[in-house]
Each structure stands twice: as C-alpha cells, then as structure tokens.
Amino acid sequence: MSHLAVADEIAELLASDLGETALQLAELECRPRLHDASYPAGERLRLARALAASLRAANQHRAALRATADFVSAARGQLAAADVEAAARDMADIRWALGEADLCLAQLRQIPRAHRAARDWARMARCAAALGQRADAAAFGAMARPGGAAAAHEGVAALARAAELMRRLDYAAAGAELRRAGRRHPSARATALLAACRFNEGADGQARALFERAAAGGAAFDEAGAHAALLARTGDRLGVHALARRLLAADAARAEGWAAMARFLAMAGRAQDALAVAWKAQALAPRLADGFLAEGAAQLAAGNAPDAAAALRRAHALAPSAFACAELVRALVRAEQLHDAFVHARDMAERMPRHPAALALVGAVLAHSPESADKAEALLAAALRADRRHAPAVDALAALYVARGRVSDARALLESHLPEIPTDDMHTRYADVLTLANDLPAAAVSYAAALDLNPDNQRARAGYDRVGRLMQPNPDNDNDNDSDSDSDNDNDNDNDNDDGNGDGDGDGDDDEEQLLPMESDFSDAL
C-alpha cells in the first residue's frame, strides 16, 4: 500500500469512528516508514500526521505531539515551507488540547505572518486571552476578521520603521511612529519599543510605566535589556532581581533573564559571578546585545575598564542605542582611551543634536583635557538648560568645577539640583563636595541620606566612615599641658608636649590628606 493510500485509509477510519483500527494501521504502516529516506519527505510527513491523528483520537496527545515533533526535527531541511507550517498547526492544536496556551501561541508564532490563516489568528487570540494578554488578544482577534491581515501588515511595517529609527538614535521620530501604531494597532510589542525610546531619551519615569504595561500585556522579553538597564540606572537592585526571576521562570532557555541576573549580581558586588552569568547569556544568544551590555556592567564593577569597553563596543554594534553608546564612552574614559571616547560621543551628538544626553556626554569627555575645559563647561551648562533633571550633566559639571578648584561653585550647583534629583548618587556627590569644603556635619547628613536610599552604596558608606573619623577629637591634643612645679617634670612635660604637638600636627595633616576625597574620586562623572 502506498504512503498516500495509507494516509487516506487512516483518515477514512477516523471519520468512521474506528479510532482503534486506525491506530493499529498507523502503528503497523506509518511508524516504520517515517525515517525511510528513500521516500519523499512530504509523503512521510503525511504518514506522520496520520499517525498523530490516530494517537489523538485515542487521547494519546503527548505521543502524538512527540511523533510529529520528532519527525519535523529530523526532516526539517527536506520539507517545504508549507509542510513545516502544516506541522506547526498540528502541534499547536495538540498544545491547545493539552491546555498549554503559552506553547500553543509560541507554536503559531513560528508561522510567518503573511501565511497565517484566519483560524490561526483566531486560535492565537484565544491563547492570548487565556494568558491574560488583553492587548494581543484584541490585535489577533482583529486579524481573524475579514480585512484584518492588511491592517496587521500595516502595524508590522510601522514597528519595523520605528525599530530602524531607533537604530539611528532618532528617538523622537521613532516615538511618534510608535504612538501612531499604538492608536491604530495596539500591541504590547509597540509599548515595549516606546518604553525603550523613552529610556534612551532619559525619561526614566515614563519608561518604567511603559515597561510595566508591556510586561502585563505579554511582552516581558521585548526590550528586556533596556528594562533591566533602566532599573539598574535608578538604583533599583531588587527590581532588577525581580525582573530576572520573572524572565527565567518564563523561559530559562532564553538569554534575557540571565542578562538581567548578571546586572543584579554586578550591583550586589558579585562581579565574578556576574561575568559568568553574562557569558552564559552570550552563549545562549550571541546576536543579542543584552548579554554584552550585562558583561560591560560587570567588567566595570570589577574594575576591568578595557574589557568592559570591548563588551560594550560589541553591544553597540549589535543594537545601537544612546544608552549603549554612553556606557561605552564611560568605559573608554576609565580605560584612558580618550580619543575613542570622544569619537563615539561626537557620533552620538551628531545623531541626537541638541539632546541633553549627547551634550553631556561630549562635555564629560572634553572635561578631561585642560585645553577644552571651557568648552566642556559650556556644553554641560547647555545640557542642563535643556533638562535640569539630567543627572549625568550635573555630575560631570560638579566634577569639572572640583577639578578646577571651584568647590563653592560645585556646592552651589548640587544644592540647586539635589531637590529635583534626590537619588543616592546625587546625595553622595553632594556629600563629597561638602567634605572638600570642610563642612563635615552637613557631609555626614548627606552621606546618611544616600545610605537611607541605598544601603548598598559603598561610596556613601566609605564617605560616611571617613567623615566620622575626621570629626572625632584628637586625643593627642587633650591634657597636653599637665605641668607640676617639679623642674624634672617640667622638662619631661615640655619634651612630651613638643613630641606630642609635633606628631599630632604631622599625623593630623597626613590623616586629613588621606581622609578627604581626592579629585580622582570624581572621575566617574568625567
């Protein structure tokens, strides 16, 4: 009996409610021929589908799924695209029958959009609804209706245009495209892309709300690297950990969750563990920028600036973004590769003209050269005129003032902006300047405020301890003139006092030089 005749006979038996007989015939005739390469792959697929249908009729859904998946995996390179899509539909049907809505949806997503039939979109809508993904369920349902495919194609094209604009760092145009697409064809993917736009523009509050909305709509993996970077930038270490746990629980075989976990470990001071996890993310998805961004953060935490620059250069090449460029410039500055840092900062400024992030980035690089300090100051001031809440510009300008000996100007600048940017990093920077100004009580208060916001801020912890030691009285200067009438005691006391005062002055000056923050402490901002 030929392959086609066997498949047709099984179909007739199933239609006649003779499922047991159909299964016996399938086991006898289909299974032995599935891997016989002397027969065309398309004909063997028909046998595999007939076997699966007979197994499903006998309520052996797992066996049916395994038979189909095993055959398609072995013969994928020999099957036509239409055959692979037909097998995907069969496996999606089985997943739905098993109550696995998430895997059913994933199976149907493997079918190219242009090839999905109305029944595919309808099934996807039911899956999304079962998963609580309301926005996607509405979008898929619209596709299932007459004329829906054309509308969906328009929505996909809009997302592609927005993604290309984002690669050019044209976030204003990309955001406008995404907002239009969201009104016409709402989807969690569009929301995630818009969140990434706002993140790269520095609007962290809006970006965070959009990322949360996208995750609730089922797009937690979309732009997950930007989401983790946003949480890290705002100092939300627990938020980074929660995001990583959610992503890994959803699919531990994907790289996004491991990249987020690497960021968390770097923030927790476990740089070597962070590197190992970041490399795991890179192995899972070598073309995904998330793993390389996470490695850059971990290498910086470990003090390996050249290696951080190499990882961030790779990330920026895979997925150009303002954030990746800024992180790359920061790593290059730490590695003292100032020429390369300036080239990348200037490129970002050309792509994002007059944007405060770009102005601040170029200014921070120029601040390292005494010859260009005036120009750096002008650029940083311009960045703050464009956005008073741009923390990197405040940081860099304060550091520049300190480097030029203008501690009072640095203090006034930070006092002006601290109410608008009350982060632990800003409190720490302000406390450093107060320490240089010898206002130790106020510095202690500001360091304490930073630690209240982030107990893991090691720079604030060290500064608080340093100021505490500086404010302690020097015991060498207490009771230094306990003299008696006895001449021997007078001589002894004189000698002791001379030694004590000399040692006290010398040691006190040395201690103060060691305890006060140095200009190099401000290198992060520059």
Side-chain angles (χ1 to χ4, degrees), residues 138-161:
F140 297 151
M143 285 293 298
R145 294 192 290 271
H153 178 73
E154 180 184 348
V156 172
L159 294 185
R161 288 193 298 271

Side-chain angles (χ1 to χ4, degrees), residues 80-399:
D83 292 334
V84 176
E85 292 166 15
R89 290 187 179 93
D90 289 348
M91 288 187 282
D93 289 342
I94 298 171
R95 294 288 190 187
W96 179 257
L98 290 169
E100 299 173 347
D102 53 342
L103 297 176
C104 175
L105 183 58
Q107 201 77 59
L108 290 170
R109 285 185 187 275
Q110 295 180 12
I111 302 173
R113 284 177 172 268
H115 297 175
R116 291 177 194 161
R119 66 178 292 269
D120 298 329
W121 290 111
R123 175 59 59 78
M124 292 175 73
R126 289 196 292 273
C127 289
L131 295 170
Q133 301 171 7
R134 294 185 296 275
D136 283 346
F140 297 151
M143 285 293 298
R145 294 192 290 271
H153 178 73
E154 180 184 348
V156 172
L159 294 185
R161 288 193 298 271
E164 180 57 31
L165 289 168
M166 290 174 67
R167 288 183 64 85
R168 300 176 191 172
L169 310 192
D170 190 353
Y171 296 110
E177 186 73 47
L178 289 165
R179 284 188 289 272
R180 284 194 297 271
R183 287 192 295 270
R184 297 173 184 172
H185 318 287
S187 70
R189 169 66 175 160
T191 304
L193 285 173
L194 185 57
C197 278
R198 301 304 291 145
F199 162 66
N200 280 285
E201 290 179 301
D204 290 351
Q206 295 179 29
R208 185 163 187 164
L210 288 167
F211 274 127
E212 290 172 357
R213 191 193 311 170
F221 284 95
D222 290 312
E223 302 299 326
H227 190 183
L230 165 67
L231 295 170
R233 186 163 74 185
T234 56
D236 189 357
R237 183 166 63 93
L238 295 180
V240 178
H241 183 255
L243 174 63
R245 292 289 299 272
R246 287 198 304 271
L247 294 174
L248 290 173
D251 191 346
R254 295 187 59 159
E256 292 90 342
W258 295 107
M261 185 60 73
R263 277 199 178 276
F264 163 73
L265 292 170
M267 295 178 73
R270 297 166 56 185
Q272 296 306 314
D273 291 338
L275 285 172
V277 175
W279 291 330
K280 177 181 177 68
Q282 293 171 17
L284 289 171
R287 302 290 301 170
L288 185 70
D290 295 15
F292 296 95
L293 286 171
E295 183 192 350
Q299 295 284 15
L300 284 174
N304 302 325
D307 291 338
L312 291 165
R313 198 187 300 273
R314 175 66 172 160
H316 191 47
L318 288 171
S321 71
F323 173 76
C325 184
E327 290 294 285
L328 172 58
V329 169
R330 186 160 71 99
L332 290 170
V333 167
R334 287 198 185 182
E336 299 183 354
Q337 300 176 28
L338 297 181
H339 176 72
D340 285 350
F342 178 73
V343 169
H344 285 283
R346 184 180 60 188
D347 178 66
M348 179 171 162
E350 291 172 352
R351 292 168 179 248
M352 302 173 67
R354 296 182 297 280
H355 193 281
L359 293 173
L361 196 62
V362 177
V365 176
L366 291 177
H368 281 77
S369 172
E371 294 79 8
S372 58
D374 290 337
K375 188 171 184 179
E377 183 176 340
L379 287 169
L380 293 168
L384 288 176
R385 286 194 298 272
D387 180 7
R388 280 186 54 83
R389 295 174 57 84
H390 191 68
V394 177
D395 248 9
L397 186 55

Side-chain angles (χ1 to χ4, degrees), residues 452-512:
D452 285 342
L453 292 170
N454 179 12
D456 295 322
N457 188 326
Q458 296 303 315
R459 182 178 175 80
R461 178 72 60 191
Y464 186 79
D465 293 342
R466 178 177 61 221
V467 168
R469 292 194 298 272
L470 285 171
M471 290 195 297
Q472 287 178 356
N474 189 345
D476 291 338
N477 291 330
D478 292 342
N479 303 318
D480 57 352
N481 285 317
D482 292 337
S483 60
D484 295 324
S485 57
D486 181 57
S487 61
D488 292 339
N489 288 342
D490 287 341
N491 291 334
D492 290 342
N493 286 336
D494 288 342
N495 292 334
D496 290 343
N497 288 336
D498 289 342
D499 293 342
N501 289 336
D503 292 343
D505 291 343
D507 291 346
D509 291 344
D510 291 343
D511 289 344
E512 188 165 334

